[in-house]
Each structure stands twice: as structure tokens, then as C-alpha cells.
Amino acid sequence: MGTGDTPDLWSHPRLSAAAREGDWGAVLRTYRSLTGLSQTRIGERTGLAQPDVSAIERGRRAVTSAEVRQRIAAGLGMPNALLAGPDGPSSAASPPVASLALGGSAPDADLLERITGTVREGRRVDAPTLDWLDRLLAEHRRAEDTIGSRPLMSVMSQQLSTVVDLHAGARGPLGRRVVRLAAEHAQFMAWMTHDQDNTAAALAWYDRSHEWALEAGDAGLAATTLSMKAHMAWSKHRPGRCVRLAEAARWSAPGASPGVQGMAAQMAARGHALGGDASAAHRLLDEAQELIGRAARRPEDEPPWMYFYDETWFTLQRGMADMHLGDWPRAIERLTTGLTGLPADYRRDRAWYRSCLAACLARQGETAAALDLAVATAPDADAVGRPYSWQHLHTTAATLLRRRAPEGRALLAVLKEYGSP
């Protein structure tokens, strides 16, 4: 199973009965009893805070949201057959694309063989079909900016399965294009699983995306995948690994577009900033700024997955580097400037950068402003920004408490309203 549990775990009578009955408290209790996992680890898998897991287990919180049910089912690798009750997905309308049994959110074992193995007989694939799938993927990327990753996991798994199945009917250049499209889908799956803090699954998807990108001959996509793995290392506070992966992205695709090169340069810069090397960070940020300027002058030369990479996004990244280097005034200035240019419907990114700005304001001693911004950010952080935005809101509260500012307790009270400790 994708979660690393034994394949017959869900055949246990108590666990399977709890799942069929929709008794989510019993599901969590029995699953933890069988696996020995803590409530915190269960929360990491399902995207729930530890107090939420505890409340569900004790019957103090009912699981009434379809999204939460899906998160628990996906995070614990629950088989679809156990979701046949009235609350399960099988009662909904049939999905528009073929299903893909993932056993959790990590890639299934035979997916690589299916797309890279012997071409089987099947219906022919034409360019308009692939054009449509390209457009659909672009729409899903933009939807994720607004609604977050969790609601899209199932549909993207199904869509990836459709792309893989098309490989059997692709001929000549279309076959390579299908592999590239699969690589893009795998990259997006990696991004979404990382957004849910499922590191092992995200790394598996990034590795799959990188391999397919190389097979398709798309060095820019392969380099971008390395940059995104660098982003994962940065998010886990591993500056050395972040720098190494970003540098690998830089030298592996010297002919990539300016935007792809700029992404790699700024990721290396963020790794140096996280490690406290201000000189290297600023040098690489200046280099990345020149590259992003070139990319902005010819956006038609950039690949579709770089749609978000512009001056606004780069300003926010520089603000993040300033934050790591402890330059609170510069970080506040750049994060504030970047947020004014960030589209209002980018709920996840706005929650993330606003939570970072709130933390910087607290460090700067602007306690009232930090509280106001954190409180305003909490709804989106709760809805689409867990766990990363949520962590920065707690960092803000901790900073305020260390300063003995009354705003610290006020912010903690607000966070508790959303089920946070």
C-alpha cells in the first residue's frame, strides 16, 4: 500500500466493519491500534491536526465533510470497496475518466511499466485529444491555486490513468508527447502530495516525473522537477540538499528557458539563505532576477507549468530569503509588495505568504499588525493552507508569547476555534 502498511490491513474485521459503517472514530482508533502510529502521524497522513484526530476518535467531533472523509480514506489507503456506504464516493456519479487504484497517494507499482513498456494494440491517439488534455491540466493547476490540493487528488489520479492508457494508441511523435504529458501530471501529483506534507509520496512522484521527462526528451521539465525537489528540501529545513538539487537543475539543462533557469537560481538562493549565507543568496537572487526579467519579456517561450513565475512571485521569493536571513524590515517590505500583486483567487499562496508576513511582523515587534493579519489569514490557512501556512501562524503566536504581548494569547484563542492546539 502507498502508506507502507501491510496489504491485508484493511481485511481486519474490526477495521473493515468500521469503514463500511462510516464510523470514522472507530476507523482511526482501530487503524492506530493495528499500526502503532501516533495521532500526530495519523494527522500527517490525513492533513488533520492532532487535536482533530483525537476529537474524532473520542466522538467529540463528527466527520460530516466529504472532503475530510476523502482525506482520511486517501491518507490511510482505504480501499474503494470499503467506501460503498451512503457517504462513500461510490454513491456519487461515475467519474468522467478512468479510475486508477493508487493504494494511497503514492504512485502504483505497475504505472511505469504501463507507459514505458511494449506498445500494445489500441485505439489511435490524435493531436486534438492531447491538446484537450493539455488544456485540462492547465485548468486544474489554476483551480488548485484557489481550492487547494485535496479536492483535486482523486480527479488528477484518474486523469493520469487516462493519459497512461492513451500511450497504447499513440504512434511516432505522439507517443513521446504522451510520455511528456504523463510527466507533467506526475509533477503536479508530486506538488499536491507535498502540499499535504506527504513527503515520501511526493518524492516518488517527482522521481517518476523526472524519469518520464528525460524519456520524453524534455530537459526543461526534468530541470523543473529537480527545482521542485529542492523546494521540498527547503520546506523541510535542509539547506544543503536544497542547494545541491537546485544546482543540479541548473547544470542539467543549460538550454532551458530563462524562467526554468531562474527558478533553479532562486531555489539555490533560498537554500543559501536558509543556511545563513547572505552573500551567496543575494548573488543568486540577482542572477535569478535578471533571468525572470528575460522570461517576462518573452512569456511565450516559457513552458505551461511556469504560468505563475513572474515579477510578483519573484518579489515574494526574495521576501522569503530576507526572512531566513533575519532582515525583518526588508522581508516585510517585499512580502507586502508581492501580496498586493498576487491575484485574489490564489487562496493557498495568499494564505502562505500572509502567514509568513505575520510571522515577520511579530519578529519586528509590530504585535498588533501581526495579530490582525494572522486572524484575517486563519480561515484560508485552515481551508487550503494546512499544514504549512498553519505552522507559520503558530510561529507567529509563539513569537508574540515570547515577547509577552497579549496578542499572543488572543491569536492562540483564534487558532483553537479552528481545532488547532
Side-chain angles (χ1 to χ4, degrees), residues 55-56 59-65:
I56 293 170
R60 295 178 180 175
R61 173 180 170 181
V63 180
T64 58
S65 165

PDB file of all heavy atoms in Angstrom, residues 55-56 59-65:
ATOM      1  N   ALA A  55     -10.204  14.342  18.677  1.00  0.00           N
ATOM      2  CA  ALA A  55     -11.632  14.646  18.834  1.00  0.00           C
ATOM      3  C   ALA A  55     -12.496  13.664  18.056  1.00  0.00           C
ATOM      4  O   ALA A  55     -13.565  13.242  18.525  1.00  0.00           O
ATOM      5  CB  ALA A  55     -11.908  16.071  18.382  1.00  0.00           C
ATOM      6  N   ILE A  56     -12.048  13.274  16.868  1.00  0.00           N
ATOM      7  CA  ILE A  56     -12.809  12.301  16.065  1.00  0.00           C
ATOM      8  C   ILE A  56     -12.793  10.944  16.743  1.00  0.00           C
ATOM      9  O   ILE A  56     -13.818  10.264  16.841  1.00  0.00           O
ATOM     10  CB  ILE A  56     -12.229  12.220  14.648  1.00  0.00           C
ATOM     11  CG1 ILE A  56     -12.448  13.537  13.899  1.00  0.00           C
ATOM     12  CG2 ILE A  56     -12.883  11.075  13.865  1.00  0.00           C
ATOM     13  CD1 ILE A  56     -11.708  13.626  12.579  1.00  0.00           C
ATOM     14  N   GLY A  59     -15.188  10.768  19.606  1.00  0.00           N
ATOM     15  CA  GLY A  59     -16.579  11.058  19.299  1.00  0.00           C
ATOM     16  C   GLY A  59     -16.997  12.481  19.606  1.00  0.00           C
ATOM     17  O   GLY A  59     -18.194  12.805  19.570  1.00  0.00           O
ATOM     18  N   ARG A  60     -16.033  13.327  19.889  1.00  0.00           N
ATOM     19  CA  ARG A  60     -16.355  14.725  20.183  1.00  0.00           C
ATOM     20  C   ARG A  60     -16.513  15.558  18.922  1.00  0.00           C
ATOM     21  O   ARG A  60     -16.996  16.687  18.970  1.00  0.00           O
ATOM     22  CB  ARG A  60     -15.253  15.337  21.059  1.00  0.00           C
ATOM     23  CG  ARG A  60     -15.158  14.713  22.441  1.00  0.00           C
ATOM     24  CD  ARG A  60     -14.021  15.323  23.243  1.00  0.00           C
ATOM     25  NE  ARG A  60     -13.938  14.732  24.572  1.00  0.00           N
ATOM     26  CZ  ARG A  60     -12.973  15.021  25.453  1.00  0.00           C
ATOM     27  NH1 ARG A  60     -12.021  15.887  25.124  1.00  0.00           N
ATOM     28  NH2 ARG A  60     -12.964  14.434  26.632  1.00  0.00           N
ATOM     29  N   ARG A  61     -16.069  15.014  17.800  1.00  0.00           N
ATOM     30  CA  ARG A  61     -16.224  15.695  16.523  1.00  0.00           C
ATOM     31  C   ARG A  61     -16.738  14.689  15.496  1.00  0.00           C
ATOM     32  O   ARG A  61     -16.153  13.622  15.325  1.00  0.00           O
ATOM     33  CB  ARG A  61     -14.899  16.293  16.040  1.00  0.00           C
ATOM     34  CG  ARG A  61     -14.987  16.867  14.629  1.00  0.00           C
ATOM     35  CD  ARG A  61     -13.674  17.461  14.171  1.00  0.00           C
ATOM     36  NE  ARG A  61     -13.721  17.774  12.751  1.00  0.00           N
ATOM     37  CZ  ARG A  61     -12.706  18.291  12.057  1.00  0.00           C
ATOM     38  NH1 ARG A  61     -11.567  18.572  12.662  1.00  0.00           N
ATOM     39  NH2 ARG A  61     -12.839  18.525  10.763  1.00  0.00           N
ATOM     40  N   ALA A  62     -17.842  15.037  14.854  1.00  0.00           N
ATOM     41  CA  ALA A  62     -18.394  14.179  13.803  1.00  0.00           C
ATOM     42  C   ALA A  62     -17.753  14.535  12.469  1.00  0.00           C
ATOM     43  O   ALA A  62     -17.487  15.702  12.192  1.00  0.00           O
ATOM     44  CB  ALA A  62     -19.903  14.350  13.721  1.00  0.00           C
ATOM     45  N   VAL A  63     -17.489  13.534  11.649  1.00  0.00           N
ATOM     46  CA  VAL A  63     -16.922  13.758  10.319  1.00  0.00           C
ATOM     47  C   VAL A  63     -18.082  13.921   9.344  1.00  0.00           C
ATOM     48  O   VAL A  63     -18.632  12.937   8.823  1.00  0.00           O
ATOM     49  CB  VAL A  63     -16.002  12.606   9.901  1.00  0.00           C
ATOM     50  CG1 VAL A  63     -15.416  12.856   8.521  1.00  0.00           C
ATOM     51  CG2 VAL A  63     -14.882  12.426  10.918  1.00  0.00           C
ATOM     52  N   THR A  64     -18.479  15.160   9.121  1.00  0.00           N
ATOM     53  CA  THR A  64     -19.619  15.438   8.239  1.00  0.00           C
ATOM     54  C   THR A  64     -19.193  15.951   6.875  1.00  0.00           C
ATOM     55  O   THR A  64     -19.990  15.967   5.945  1.00  0.00           O
ATOM     56  CB  THR A  64     -20.540  16.484   8.893  1.00  0.00           C
ATOM     57  OG1 THR A  64     -19.780  17.687   9.150  1.00  0.00           O
ATOM     58  CG2 THR A  64     -21.112  15.968  10.208  1.00  0.00           C
ATOM     59  N   SER A  65     -17.941  16.365   6.742  1.00  0.00           N
ATOM     60  CA  SER A  65     -17.450  16.921   5.487  1.00  0.00           C
ATOM     61  C   SER A  65     -16.976  15.819   4.549  1.00  0.00           C
ATOM     62  O   SER A  65     -16.190  14.946   4.939  1.00  0.00           O
ATOM     63  CB  SER A  65     -16.297  17.905   5.756  1.00  0.00           C
ATOM     64  OG  SER A  65     -15.587  18.189   4.587  1.00  0.00           O
TER      65      SER A  65
END
